[in-house]
Structure formats: structure tokens, C-alpha cells
Amino acid sequence: MEKSINQRYVLTEPILPMLSGMLYSGKDLPLRRDVVFFVVESTDEAAKEAYIRKLREVAPLSDNRFLHILDVGMEPNYIFAVLKTFDGKPFIQELKGHRFTPEEAVSKVLELGKGLMDALEEGISGCSVHAANLWLNDDGQLKIINYWEKGTHTQRGAQGLGCLLYQILTHSESIPVSFDTIEHSLREALTAIPRVEQELLISTLRRVWNDQETLASFMLVLQSLRQDTAIRQEVSMPVSDRQVREKTEPERAYEEEDPVEEEEAPPRRSLGRAGRKLLVGTAIACLGGAAAFVWLGKDQEEPSGKGASPAQTEHHAPLQPSHQTYDIPAGPEVANDPNQKKAEDEIVIVPNLIGLQNDTAGKQAIAAGLHFKFDIVANEREEGTVFKQEPAAHTQVPKGTEIKYWVSKGKQQ
């Protein structure tokens, strides 16, 4: 198939049918370059004019996590948008056969989330991040194809990213209607990562599914998980390799840890304004989360459930005294950190602890860079479940703030 447009473009062959149109490969003849066309059939002049306005509104977005719009136009029977092409193909065509690890899946979803936050600053929101609306570069980067149309509730924002993470981890094109089904598939897909991180990710995705997490708070958890992965890889690396890495990459490591220099330098679109704000605000919190996982890592080796010994039961659910205060455990890295005072001035987001088990709630608080205390009182909720917290979830507070939550000890007899 070859179809000429305005004596400039040539559509060569269809690539992928999409919700409202068709994706074609093609060429820009004057500039001698390959491009991608998004074509929507329509003969309604008013509808075509409205669609063109929508395309032109988002065309200035140049974030590298989106396929850039190069040109738009109308023909008698259709509208077209010319998109910058990249080596690769639609991600949906690679979904079942990709080899991304769970850690890589988290990183890719996190990067798309940064793109969504940057787009929000440009007034662009609600686009679909379903696997069928993504382009996969040969270098493994994901890009959003259609960002001028709204996705469904399960395709956009935090829930859209959560469903995309499920799709990548399970190689599934469809999204189950029940989270219990999702959880079962996720546990099978996450057997290679530590148990603590499995539980954190699954409990977070459940809250995302129930609309209890914002885009920003969901990204905090993903950032924490990615940071923990980097620390584990660094620790497991042979000493000689770590020494070589430190000698060859000192400047890069310094730049990543120093948000002040990054603010003074010209803005980089690869991170974007919203992405930089998130990373600066969460870097310290994520390091605290990593330390917490190391501190709590022994939980991975302890059996849970009915087989737990009395000593283990006491460790996980201390009932006396009923009022406890826990601080982030001091370690060499924290005690020797010259930027500790500065870190305490950072703003973090209070996680949603309601509905979590007592020990999981404490880990979440620590991962967010907070201290916590709790009371165990009679309540209709299941024993050991958090039913109230102060400050409320998603509140912005200084790092190191003490939050309080209430844990049910079941109904009084």
C-alpha cells in the first residue's frame, strides 16, 4: 500500500490498529526521513476541526517519553498526525516475548510516570499508558504514542501505571477485573525479588487499584524499590569491580547526589521539571527506605502464618506496651552523613497505612523517611490491621516527622 498526502508524505503500510485510528509507517519525501502516521477516518468537518485543535494543543510537548508530533493535517476523508519515528515497534507486539526483569519493569514504569508528571505541567493529562498505546525503542525505552486522547480510568494516571506494571510483569495484554486475580499472577511473576519488596509492591498496587494512591505517592514507592535494587547490586558486586566503578564514575555519582547543581544547570528534558522535583524530594527518603529494608531483611527468612513460633509472634505483633515509638535505626551511613541536617528539611509524602498490617505499616513509614508510633485498641477491623492514621495519607510533611496510627486488636468481647 502506498498513499500520497499533499505531495509530501507517503503512507506505506499499516503498523497497528488503535482505539480511534490506525498507525502507519511512511516517509517524509522532502526531508528524506521515515515517519509514523496516526490516521483517523472522518468526513465530519466540525469533528475534524475539533480533532486538529486537540492535536495542535499538545504538539509543543517535546518530552522524550512521548512520540513527538511533527505535523498535522486534514484530507477529505481523514485527519493525520505525523509522528517522529524511532527504531523499534509497538510494545504490544513485544509484550508476550520481552525479557525485562522485575527491576527493569519498575524502572520503565517509573520513567513513564515522570513523563506524565512533566506533561501535567504542560496541561496534558489523562492519556493512556496501556501497553497497546506504547512504542518500544530498540534500546528498551517506552514512549507514549497517543497523548491527545483520554484513556479509561484503568489506563491513565496511577492506576494506568499500576496496570501497565502488571502487564509487563505477567506478559498479559488484558487486565483482570479482580485484584485477587492480579495478586495471584503477580506473586508468580515476582518470585525472583526479595519477599519484603514483593509485599511492598503488591500492597501498593492494591491501594492503587482501590484509588488510594496518587501518581506522586505511587512513584515514591517505585523510586524506593529501584533504589533498593541498586544498593543490592552494589553490595553484591565484587570489591575489585566496585573500586573500578568508583574510579571511573566519580563525577556521575556526585551529580546524581547533588540537587543544587542540577537546579543551576540548564533543565534536561530527559528528567523534566516534575521528574527533578520528585527525585530531589525523595532521594533521601529512598535511602532511608533502603536502610529500613536492610534492617528488616531478616523478616524474609522468618516463616509467617500458623507455623510461627511464640517468639516470632511476639516479634511481629508486640502487644505490651500498647503505645510504641520507633525511629529509623541508626547505622554507619546515617551517623556519618554530613547532609543529615539538610535531609531533615526535605519534604516527603505520608503513605496510606490504613488497611495494612501493623508490621507492614511500620515498614512503609520508614521507607517514606518518617518516624512512627502506634496504639493498639479495640476496633471492628481485623486484629492487627491499621484503621486510622495522623497525619492523613498523601499529606506533605518534613522528613523525619513522627506519624501515628491505630491498630485494631479486634472487637471487645
Side-chain angles (χ1 to χ4, degrees):
M1 164 201 171
E2 280 205 5
K3 184 176 181 61
S4 178
I5 302 177
N6 295 340
Q7 298 183 341
R8 172 173 181 173
Y9 302 114
V10 174
L11 276 65
T12 53
E13 59 181 350
I15 301 175
L16 180 72
M18 303 194 75
L19 183 63
S20 62
M22 176 70 74
L23 209 61
Y24 290 87
S25 61
K27 294 185 178 294
D28 182 339
L29 298 178
L31 297 179
R32 299 180 180 179
R33 62 181 176 181
D34 294 330
V35 290
V36 173
F37 294 89
F38 189 91
V39 178
V40 179
E41 295 184 359
S42 176
T43 56
D44 185 327
E45 291 300 319
K48 288 196 293 185
E49 288 286 352
Y51 202 91
I52 286 291
R53 285 196 299 271
K54 191 187 306 183
L55 287 167
R56 287 174 176 161
E57 286 174 1
V58 303
L61 182 66
S62 59
D63 191 287
N64 64 0
R65 287 155 288 213
F66 299 79
L67 293 188
H68 304 161
I69 297 176
L70 304 175
D71 192 13
V72 299
M74 287 191 297
E75 291 292 301
N77 297 321
Y78 59 88
I79 309 154
F80 67 89
V82 184
L83 308 176
K84 183 177 179 180
T85 190
F86 296 87
D87 293 335
K89 61 181 64 176
F91 182 46
I92 198 71
Q93 297 176 359
E94 291 290 317
L95 182 60
K96 291 187 178 298
H98 78 76
R99 297 184 178 181
F100 299 142
T101 64
E103 292 83 2
E104 290 171 335
V106 166
S107 290
K108 293 182 188 307
V109 171
L110 178 62
E111 287 303 312
L112 282 179
K114 294 175 188 175
L116 293 182
M117 293 185 73
D118 275 359
L120 280 172
E121 293 193 358
E122 304 294 334
I124 301 169
S125 64
C127 61
S128 169
V129 287
H130 189 278
N133 191 39
L134 300 177
W135 185 274
L136 176 64
N137 281 15
D138 284 347
D139 64 3
Q141 184 182 13
L142 293 176
K143 297 178 181 288
I144 297 172
I145 300 172
N146 179 338
Y147 46 98
W148 51 90
E149 292 184 299
K150 303 291 185 183
T152 64
H153 182 67
T154 58
Q155 295 174 347
R156 63 177 185 257
Q159 191 165 115
L161 290 175
C163 289
L164 174 62
L165 184 55
Y166 167 82
Q167 287 185 291
I168 298 175
L169 291 171
T170 63
H171 302 260
S172 174
E173 294 185 12
S174 60
I175 308 295
V177 296
S178 165
F179 190 83
D180 290 338
T181 304
I182 289 176
E183 180 176 351
H184 177 75
S185 300
L186 283 174
R187 290 193 181 279
E188 292 182 347
L190 294 173
T191 55
I193 72 173
R195 181 62 180 272
V196 171
E197 294 181 15
Q198 285 184 40
E199 297 302 328
L200 174 60
L201 183 55
I202 290 173
S203 63
T204 302
L205 287 175
R206 180 179 288 278
R207 292 195 303 279
V208 167
W209 182 263
N210 293 325
D211 290 327
Q212 296 174 327
E213 292 283 353
T214 64
L215 176 59
S217 62
F218 182 37
M219 290 178 64
L220 281 173
V221 177
L222 297 183
Q223 181 70 35
S224 175
L225 288 169
R226 188 167 73 171
Q227 183 71 26
D228 296 335
T229 299
I231 291 174
R232 287 201 313 273
Q233 291 174 345
E234 183 75 18
V235 171
S236 63
M237 185 183 299
V239 174
S240 58
D241 290 351
R242 289 204 300 273
Q243 291 173 342
V244 170
R245 180 175 174 182
E246 289 170 359
K247 290 178 181 178
T248 56
E249 298 185 355
E251 295 181 357
R252 178 173 177 269
Y254 177 77
E255 290 175 356
E256 290 177 349
E257 293 173 1
D258 191 350
V260 176
E261 289 193 2
E262 184 176 351
E263 286 293 329
E264 295 175 352
R268 295 180 295 174
R269 292 302 304 174
S270 60
L271 285 177
R273 294 187 297 275
R276 288 197 302 277
K277 291 175 184 175
L278 175 77
L279 293 181
V280 170
T282 61
I284 304 300
C286 294
L287 288 174
F293 282 127
V294 172
W295 177 51
L296 296 165
K298 63 181 181 180
D299 289 351
Q300 301 172 29
E301 301 174 0
E302 295 179 356
S304 59
K306 297 180 179 180
S309 67
Q312 291 168 333
T313 303
E314 285 186 4
H315 172 73
H316 286 291
L319 296 180
Q320 296 295 334
S322 63
H323 183 85
Q324 300 283 347
T325 300
Y326 282 75
D327 292 339
I328 298 177
E333 295 182 358
V334 176
N336 296 330
D337 184 2
N339 297 320
Q340 183 174 3
K341 186 178 187 302
K342 181 178 178 181
E344 292 174 353
D345 297 331
E346 297 292 344
I347 300 299
V348 299
I349 299 175
V350 176
N352 185 9
L353 307 180
I354 295 175
L356 301 182
Q357 291 296 304
N358 187 10
D359 57 346
T360 303
K363 295 173 187 177
Q364 284 274 42
I366 292 174
L370 302 167
H371 304 307
F372 70 91
K373 62 182 179 181
F374 63 88
D375 281 342
I376 301 177
V377 297
N379 188 265
E380 294 183 353
R381 285 288 190 103
E382 180 182 353
E383 182 179 355
T385 303
V386 177
F387 64 91
K388 179 182 176 183
Q389 71 177 82
E390 290 180 358
H394 314 311
T395 302
Q396 295 185 0
V397 298
K399 180 184 179 296
T401 296
E402 182 179 81
I403 65 174
K404 181 178 180 180
Y405 59 86
W406 285 261
V407 180
S408 171
K409 64 178 179 181
K411 294 182 181 180
Q412 290 183 327
Q413 299 297 328

